[in-house]
Amino acid sequence: MMTDQEGILHDRLARGEAVPGGPGACARDGCAHLTLWHGEHGRYRKRPCRQCGCPSYVPQPEGAAILGQLHAILTRYVILPSAEATTAVALWTAATHAQPAWQHAPRLVIRAPEKRCGKSRLLDIVEGTCHAPLITVNASPAAVYRAIGGEVTPTLLVDEADTIFGGKNADANEDLRGLLNAGHQRNRPAIRWDAGTRSLETIPTFAMAALAGIGAMPDTIEDRAVVIRMRRRAPGETVAPFRHRRDRPALTALAAQLARWLGAHLAELERAEPAMPLEDRAADTWEPLVAVADLAGGPWPGLARHAAVVLTTDRDAAASVSDRIRLLADCRTAFGDAEALPTITLIARLRSDPEAPWSDHGPDGISARRLAVLLADYDIRSEIIRFGEPIGRVRGYRRGDFSDAWARYCPRPSGGIRDNRDTHDNPSSAASRHPARHGSIRDARQSVPGVTCENTDVTDVTDTPRLGVINGGAA
């Protein structure tokens, strides 16, 4: 537990104020040099005075102190679903101030199951602290293209995004969805024909963007996003009221601090190649956030990597599975111990699951023709197979023809029971070459930076989802 004196010093640190004494200063005369540093999951560390061993004050690095202030503001006005979500929003907001350094512009998706879950309030805080915010509840693709192609690249903020991408409006806004997908990576411009000048016009699409709405965003957007799943406040959870006229100036001042700090390190951030605990597109999405955390120092490098793994795992676990991949998985269940099945038997087993979609394909459920069409893209085709009596020679499917697709698209979870027959008929399949693992998370056997700081003596204290120790206890 922090003493009153320690709490006062920590609050002053979070506000960026000077504190009497400095690194190595002796505190024997009664004094104020005791400092606690935040570490992983609410742990503390102390640095003693080199002269007499008395605890002494050690200020945080500049970047860590600024991120601590942003963290404090977030937890003051919004109840976020987890400590990892708070870390991610703080780092994403900071990363908008270094857009010129990034090769990928991660999206921030703020989604909720119902109204009054705090998503719009969170977007207000992001809008006040991010780089050049351009906020809208509805915008034409042409207007967004022009804004991104302007002299200053904005941070695009879209509230009520569910009204844009859901229901009858979805088809009408395909161009906007395409813009957001293309703008995740640098050098993916849109090309339009300018009838007035009779020439091709190249329009930039690269810009960071946040979308808030009820329900899921299009899966192609969420696949490029840090996803924050908001929820309604529980009884006893309280936040400070946010008043735009009164509280906005503090947000603007913090945005200026972020811009000054990160603007001075753009070249360094552009060269950064942080060690990532993720792979593929998930690594592209999180790399700017981890680079900012590494630059900040203090506890942030560990917190960023921990948040990346936790939120990516949560996102992938909640992602909707396409009908084709669901069909592959259901076919594996339908095969059971069989090496081959008649088409009619496979279809009957698929239809027998009342929670699967196969009984809804057509008036009588999925047909042999529809099954063949869905499996054709995986190079799985039926053939004439000789079965025992009374079936005889009929068209059916072999287990071995599914092995490669099962290994590539729906591998069994790591640590689960492995069915060696999945690779029996196709020894060169992916399953025989690579162990099954989560598609976005780097293999745990590879070396990645730890979550805690090095050379740290830690003492456990109670962890809280709001990580009050970063922000000096602001709530």
Side-chain angles (χ1 to χ4, degrees):
M1 295 292 292
M2 282 194 291
T3 66
D4 291 343
Q5 184 183 51
E6 292 166 359
I8 291 170
L9 290 175
H10 204 279
D11 286 345
R12 293 178 65 179
L13 171 64
R15 293 194 297 268
E17 298 178 6
V19 174
C26 182
R28 279 183 303 179
D29 293 331
C31 147
H33 300 129
L34 182 61
T35 287
L36 299 176
W37 276 47
H38 175 269
E40 217 275 308
H41 291 315
R43 297 171 182 169
Y44 294 93
R45 64 176 178 170
K46 299 179 180 180
R47 283 196 179 176
C49 171
R50 293 177 180 176
Q51 299 174 11
C52 67
C54 183
S56 63
Y57 176 80
V58 182
Q60 294 188 73
E62 177 191 16
I66 294 173
L67 289 179
Q69 293 177 56
L70 179 55
H71 187 285
I73 285 177
L74 287 168
T75 55
R76 177 176 176 80
Y77 297 114
V78 185
I79 296 290
L80 281 122
S82 66
E84 293 80 15
T86 311
T87 297
V89 175
L91 290 171
W92 185 92
T93 304
T96 64
H97 292 275
Q99 287 193 59
W102 312 133
Q103 287 301 309
H104 292 86
R107 279 69 185 98
L108 178 68
V109 167
I110 304 167
R111 51 181 286 193
E114 297 289 344
K115 295 181 290 185
R116 302 193 348 257
C117 289
K119 56 183 176 52
S120 294
R121 177 63 70 234
L122 178 55
L123 200 63
D124 286 339
I125 306 305
V126 171
E127 188 265 341
T129 52
C130 73
H131 163 75
L134 177 63
I135 190 164
T136 180
V137 293
N138 194 4
S140 69
V144 175
Y145 280 128
R146 298 302 176 191
I148 293 175
E151 186 174 339
V152 177
T153 302
T155 301
L156 182 63
L157 307 176
V158 183
D159 200 1
E160 300 183 18
D162 52 300
T163 64
I164 297 175
F165 297 114
K168 62 182 181 181
N169 295 322
D171 291 341
N173 288 295
E174 276 298 298
D175 282 350
L176 184 57
R177 184 170 72 91
L179 183 159
L180 290 168
N181 290 341
H184 177 258
Q185 186 171 347
R186 194 176 289 279
N187 299 323
R188 295 293 185 271
I191 300 177
R192 295 289 185 269
W193 176 256
D194 188 331
T197 61
R198 298 180 63 80
S199 63
L200 287 176
E201 182 181 14
T202 301
I203 307 172
T205 61
F206 185 80
M208 292 183 69
L211 301 93
I214 295 175
M217 298 297 123
D219 57 358
T220 54
I221 291 177
E222 292 203 352
D223 193 43
R224 295 164 168 82
V226 175
V227 179
I228 307 298
R229 301 168 66 88
M230 300 295 288
R231 57 192 181 188
R232 193 169 289 178
R233 276 189 288 158
E237 291 182 327
T238 59
V239 293
F242 180 79
R243 297 292 179 265
H244 191 277
R245 180 178 298 178
R246 180 193 66 199
D247 301 322
R248 176 62 187 271
L251 305 187
T252 304
L254 182 54
Q257 290 187 61
L258 288 164
R260 284 194 299 271
W261 167 51
L262 291 163
H265 296 278
L266 287 180
E268 180 181 349
L269 290 169
E270 189 173 3
R271 295 190 302 269
E273 296 182 3
M276 298 296 297
L278 307 174
E279 294 182 332
D280 303 325
R281 181 169 286 157
D284 294 338
T285 295
W286 277 88
E287 186 176 67
L289 281 67
V290 174
V292 168
D294 285 351
L295 178 67
W300 289 95
L303 293 175
R305 289 173 172 84
H306 177 68
V309 171
V310 170
L311 294 185
T312 300
T313 301
D314 289 349
R315 183 205 66 186
D316 290 350
S320 59
V321 177
S322 72
D323 275 359
R324 291 172 190 267
I325 293 179
R326 171 71 185 270
L327 177 61
L328 287 175
D330 287 352
C331 282
R332 179 164 53 196
T333 301
F335 263 90
D337 296 327
E339 295 296 336
L341 284 179
T343 300
I344 190 170
T345 303
L346 178 57
I347 288 174
R349 292 183 180 181
L350 291 172
R351 291 176 182 171
S352 67
D353 184 351
E355 296 185 1
W358 317 122
S359 59
D360 298 330
H361 277 251
D364 299 318
I366 191 169
S367 65
R369 173 61 181 163
R370 183 59 180 161
L371 177 64
V373 169
L374 289 172
L375 294 176
D377 284 344
Y378 303 106
D379 292 328
I380 299 172
R381 293 175 175 83
S382 64
E383 58 182 285
I384 300 297
I385 303 173
R386 182 183 296 279
F387 294 91
E389 296 298 334
I391 299 175
R393 285 169 53 85
V394 297
R395 188 165 288 277
Y397 290 88
R398 297 185 186 276
R399 168 186 289 276
D401 293 335
F402 286 83
S403 297
D404 187 65
W406 285 339
R408 293 177 187 275
Y409 299 100
C410 52
R412 294 185 184 277
S414 298
I417 298 174
R418 181 165 178 171
D419 187 347
N420 291 325
R421 292 172 305 164
D422 286 357
T423 58
H424 175 268
D425 295 297
N426 187 4
S428 65
S429 71
S432 66
R433 298 192 303 272
H434 304 292
R437 70 172 188 264
H438 194 285
S440 299
I441 309 301
R442 190 177 295 280
D443 194 319
R445 292 171 296 179
Q446 297 181 358
S447 177
V448 297
V451 177
T452 55
C453 302
E454 296 180 358
N455 302 321
T456 298
D457 295 326
V458 298
T459 303
D460 289 332
V461 299
T462 302
D463 184 24
T464 98
R466 301 182 67 185
L467 285 180
V469 287
I470 282 186
N471 58 42

